[in-house]
Amino acid sequence: MIKNRLYLIIKKLTLIYLYIFPGKIKFKLLSSLNFKIIDFNNYEKNKNLIFKKDFFKIDHPIIYNYDFVNLCNTLGGKKGIEIAKFGIFRWYEANKFKAKLVWDSKQTANRILNLVNNFDFINSISTKTDDYKLKKILKINIKAFKRFTFRKKISEYSLLEFKVYILIKYILNEEIVDVKNKFKIILDNQTDSFLMHKSYNIYKQSKFINNINEIISMLLNFNIEVPEILNLTKMKMEAVLAQYFHKDGTVALFNGTNNYNLEKIKLLFGKKQNIRKIQFPNDANGIFYFEDKYKKIFFDAVQPTKSLPSKGLSAGTLSIEFSGDKEKIITNCGALEKTSGNAAYLRYSAAHSTIILENTNISEIKENQPNIKFPQMVSFKKQEEGPKHTVEVSHNGYIKNFKKIVKRKLYFEEDENSLIGEDSIISATSKNKEVIFHIRFHVLPDINITQTNSKKNIIFKTRNNKIWVFKSNKDLALEESVFMDKNDVKETKQIVIKGITKLNREKIQWSLTKK
């Protein structure tokens, strides 16, 4: 705590110093430097923000990242330029010494990008005073970025920060060296051996690919040789990303992913046809997936760690999603679009189609904080015998509090429209401890659900009038649930298997079959 306070004091003194003594920076070039390919910000909900009085005071990433300038550019004309300059100048005056909140290196990097990307637009109608103030704000942001990333190792850089590092080097006419090795260090820190982003969030995987595209564009423009690792990484990450789509064209909802940016994610593939899809390997952790002509299965086998990319993981270990005949059936609840505030409850275990003990989370999550506790062991096994597949994942997230290991086995055959599951709750000691368990399966809102009198069968009728039957060896119950459809909260249902562990090894069997 004392160390953090001291750092904030030093940071504030640095900002005051930079304001009083901005120093001399000679820009090599500030025109024609817009390398943006895909803008992942969603402006639709916030497009009227810039017309509010004193909008620069609003606490929103679109404001403090200077993303509002892109809105002004879309508006265009003299009005757009005036609003952009007003917002930039007034926001800076109001926040120039607020070290704690808005001078994080990533936020500073975003401001630099937006100032440079839109420099021609903002400065197209400017007095000498405006030009001086704009360049001073850019200089201070650049110097602040360099000061506040100085204490970071290159392995701690985000790819966004690395992109801005390259841009700064160019506009200051400094030599850009060792791109290959620096990129490789960042890559090793932020992606797994399978080249999936360690957040296991499809949106972050997409942004990472887009940042690679923009870095390649920068280097080509600056007449700097593009290391082959950038092109190879981009192709491999696209091949992984291509696997995370369901049969209905939506993405798998794990670890804060939502479908809000679906069309922008698909833009990454451009006009490329038949991108090679990489199958999930036997020896890696991550989101397992399987696809044939009838179905798509996703299974959360992620091993959380204390690393920075793991901070956004949900408490959804062993959760599944399933789609068949071009329709999604079993889902996770999803997430709100980030700038709207991703509610912590959507990261809880109960918001996922998984096994839960005593209504507690598999991983301990607090809003706006990383996972505090998480399973120290997530085990993944896979077996194939001809067309028959068995996938087994277990975790020890409940061992400390309840002395239990939780395991989920999935059985399926190629080109068969069905999925069989066996969930086990296993005592880690010789004496069984009775605990309440819930096994949840969240269902899409547009599916009509009918429960049979036996309470062991539930009939689904999809929007396309396809019939599926969910069965279990335990009683089934229907409860209310929610589904995040882009940024809209929709009411839906969930199937719940509820019971008490009476045995040292409690087995719950279930199946989903198309009729």
Side-chain angles (χ1 to χ4, degrees):
M1 186 67 72
I2 295 172
K3 189 176 179 181
N4 287 338
R5 284 179 182 173
L6 180 61
Y7 175 63
L8 285 173
I9 292 169
I10 293 170
K11 202 172 181 182
K12 187 164 188 173
L13 290 173
T14 301
L15 290 169
I16 293 169
Y17 176 82
L18 291 176
Y19 177 74
I20 299 171
F21 305 106
K24 291 184 178 180
I25 289 182
K26 188 174 182 181
F27 293 117
K28 176 183 178 181
L29 189 69
L30 284 175
S31 296
S32 304
L33 291 179
N34 190 340
F35 301 102
K36 187 176 288 182
I37 296 174
I38 298 175
D39 186 349
F40 280 97
N41 287 306
N42 292 298
Y43 298 113
E44 189 60 31
K45 189 176 179 180
N46 303 295
K47 61 185 178 184
N48 294 321
L49 256 178
I50 57 175
F51 298 112
K52 292 185 177 181
K53 184 182 179 182
D54 294 343
F55 72 88
F56 62 90
K57 293 180 180 178
I58 300 170
D59 182 19
H60 195 290
I62 281 179
I63 304 302
Y64 57 67
N65 283 345
Y66 284 0
D67 288 321
F68 70 85
V69 180
N70 298 312
L71 274 169
C72 296
N73 201 335
T74 302
L75 177 66
K78 185 179 178 182
K79 182 70 172 175
I81 296 166
E82 287 174 346
I83 294 173
K85 284 195 286 193
F86 170 81
I88 291 167
F89 297 154
R90 295 299 298 274
W91 182 92
Y92 177 72
E93 285 301 316
N95 296 281
K96 58 193 174 189
F97 303 138
K98 292 184 180 178
K100 187 175 181 181
L101 296 177
V102 291
W103 286 93
D104 173 88
S105 59
K106 289 182 184 176
Q107 293 165 358
T108 310
N110 273 307
R111 286 198 292 274
I112 292 167
L113 277 176
N114 283 315
L115 287 171
V116 174
N117 285 342
N118 293 285
F119 187 82
D120 291 340
F121 165 72
I122 305 165
N123 218 30
S124 57
I125 307 174
S126 282
T127 62
K128 286 186 177 181
T129 303
D130 287 346
D131 180 70
Y132 172 79
K133 286 167 68 177
L134 188 62
K135 286 179 178 175
K136 179 181 178 180
I137 291 172
L138 179 57
K139 287 175 186 177
I140 290 170
N141 273 275
I142 287 172
K143 287 198 167 187
F145 176 82
K146 293 174 83 172
R147 295 283 180 97
F148 301 144
T149 54
F150 178 76
R151 67 197 294 264
K152 278 188 173 185
K153 298 175 183 176
I154 191 68
S155 61
E156 296 172 327
Y157 272 52
S158 66
L159 202 57
L160 165 72
E161 289 169 312
F162 184 55
K163 181 172 68 176
V164 171
Y165 163 83
I166 292 171
L167 181 62
I168 289 171
K169 287 285 185 183
Y170 178 75
I171 63 178
L172 298 185
N173 201 23
E174 296 175 358
E175 188 179 7
I176 303 170
V177 296
D178 209 17
V179 171
K180 175 183 174 180
N181 288 328
K182 286 184 171 73
F183 174 76
K184 191 175 185 311
I185 291 169
I186 294 168
L187 185 70
D188 290 344
N189 186 56
Q190 295 198 35
T191 65
D192 63 18
S193 59
F194 197 38
L195 284 184
M196 177 66 196
H197 194 271
K198 287 180 181 176
S199 66
Y200 295 94
N201 179 310
I202 315 309
Y203 174 60
K204 291 186 178 179
Q205 176 88 349
S206 303
K207 289 184 77 173
F208 199 95
I209 295 168
N210 188 61
N211 279 326
I212 293 174
N213 283 334
E214 291 181 0
I215 289 171
I216 291 171
S217 179
M218 281 182 180
L219 296 176
L220 289 172
N221 187 272
F222 302 158
N223 293 316
I224 296 169
E225 184 180 355
V226 178
E228 186 61 19
I229 190 174
L230 269 76
N231 288 306
L232 288 174
T233 299
K234 173 190 158 190
M235 289 191 304
K236 288 178 182 178
M237 292 187 79
E238 286 174 343
V240 173
L241 180 64
Q243 265 293 18
Y244 279 79
F245 288 86
H246 270 287
K247 287 295 187 183
D248 63 354
T250 60
V251 293
L253 303 180
F254 292 91
N255 302 308
T257 301
N258 58 59
N259 281 295
Y260 203 95
N261 287 290
L262 182 60
E263 296 309 314
K264 291 180 180 179
I265 291 170
K266 288 179 178 179
L267 273 177
L268 281 173
F269 300 124
K271 296 179 180 179
K272 300 170 192 172
Q273 299 294 321
N274 301 318
I275 287 180
R276 183 172 66 90
K277 295 180 180 180
I278 299 175
Q279 293 302 317
F280 188 94
N282 288 324
D283 59 349
N285 101 92
I287 307 294
F288 165 82
Y289 40 73
F290 173 85
E291 181 177 17
D292 59 29
K293 64 182 179 181
Y294 292 113
K295 62 184 174 292
K296 189 72 175 273
I297 302 163
F298 292 95
F299 194 3
D300 187 344
V302 174
Q303 172 64 71
T305 68
K306 290 183 178 180
S307 67
L308 187 64
S310 284
K311 286 188 176 182
L313 293 177
S314 296
T317 313
L318 307 192
S319 61
I320 62 166
E321 291 201 343
F322 178 90
S323 57
D325 278 356
K326 298 183 179 179
E327 292 182 287
K328 191 176 181 185
I329 310 293
I330 303 297
T331 185
N332 295 314
C333 290
L336 292 168
E337 201 271 325
K338 189 176 180 182
T339 55
S340 301
N342 192 17
Y345 73 87
L346 292 170
R347 296 175 62 196
Y348 292 169
S349 299
H352 295 78
S353 294
T354 191
I355 310 158
I356 305 156
L357 302 187
E358 294 288 350
N359 274 321
T360 60
N361 290 320
I362 295 160
S363 300
E364 187 178 341
I365 288 175
K366 291 189 178 179
E367 195 165 6
N368 299 320
Q369 290 185 23
N371 291 11
I372 297 166
K373 296 176 184 175
F374 49 81
Q376 298 301 304
M377 182 279 294
V378 178
S379 172
F380 173 82
K381 296 179 183 177
K382 179 180 171 184
Q383 187 176 356
E384 296 178 26
E385 293 181 6
K388 295 183 178 181
H389 295 252
T390 304
V391 181
E392 177 185 310
V393 182
S394 62
H395 73 78
N396 67 348
Y398 289 121
I399 196 139
K400 184 176 180 181
N401 291 335
F402 307 117
K403 309 301 180 193
K404 301 288 185 184
I405 300 289
V406 180
K407 181 188 292 185
R408 169 166 278 177
K409 262 188 180 182
L410 300 181
Y411 304 88
F412 51 90
E413 286 194 39
E414 294 174 17
D415 299 330
E416 292 286 337
N417 236 334
S418 64
L419 178 65
I420 296 171
E422 180 183 277
D423 295 337
S424 300
I425 303 163
I426 307 159
S427 291
T429 61
S430 57
K431 187 177 180 181
N432 176 55
K433 181 180 181 181
E434 290 191 355
V435 297
I436 297 170
F437 65 85
H438 292 79
I439 304 173
R440 302 182 183 276
F441 301 87
H442 299 273
V443 182
L444 265 288
D446 53 5
I447 292 177
N448 186 277
I449 301 174
T450 304
Q451 187 167 18
T452 63
N453 292 333
S454 71
K455 293 188 177 180
K456 289 183 171 58
N457 294 349
I458 287 179
I459 300 169
F460 297 156
K461 184 178 181 182
T462 70
R463 183 171 53 186
N464 293 334
N465 294 318
K466 303 289 175 65
I467 303 298
W468 293 76
V469 177
F470 189 96
K471 295 182 179 181
S472 176
N473 65 336
K474 303 281 186 181
D475 285 353
L476 302 172
L478 288 177
E479 294 184 5
E480 300 299 316
S481 181
V482 294
F483 176 72
M484 302 299 139
D485 185 14
K486 296 185 179 178
N487 241 30
D488 295 326
V489 181
K490 291 190 175 180
E491 294 181 2
T492 186
K493 298 288 184 183
Q494 60 177 303
I495 299 169
V496 181
I497 305 172
K498 180 181 178 181
I500 298 174
T501 55
K502 298 290 187 182
L503 304 170
N504 271 1
R505 187 185 185 102
E506 198 76 41
K507 277 189 182 181
I508 303 95
Q509 295 170 331
W510 53 267
S511 65
L512 178 63
T513 308
K514 186 191 170 191
K515 294 298 182 183

